[in-house]
Amino acid sequence: MKDLIKKFADEELGNAVIDWTVLIAGAVMMVTAVVLAVVEPNAPVSDATGQVVEMQPLAG
C-alpha cells in the first residue's frame, strides 16, 4: 500500500489531475457565490416590476 501511495505521489499526471480538480471546484464555488449575491437582492425589485407591467393595459 505504501508503494502505491508513493507511486501516485511521484506521478506527475496524478498531481496535475488533483490540481485541476481543486482549481475547477474553487471556480465553481466563486461563480455560485457571485450569482447568489447578484440574483438574491434583486428578486423583490423584479417582482415589483413584474406586477407594474402586468397592471398596464395592452395597446390595441
Side-chain angles (χ1 to χ4, degrees):
M1 184 68 176
K2 288 181 182 180
D3 291 333
L4 180 62
I5 293 172
K6 184 175 180 182
K7 182 179 175 184
F8 181 75
D10 291 339
E11 187 177 321
E12 292 295 323
L13 181 60
N15 292 334
V17 169
I18 292 171
D19 290 345
W20 279 104
T21 302
V22 171
L23 181 68
I24 296 298
V28 167
M29 287 191 293
M30 189 184 325
V31 168
T32 302
V34 168
V35 168
L36 291 176
V38 170
V39 171
E40 196 62 31
N42 293 329
V45 173
S46 64
D47 290 342
T49 304
Q51 290 173 356
V52 170
V53 170
E54 288 175 356
M55 293 177 150
Q56 299 299 316
L58 294 175

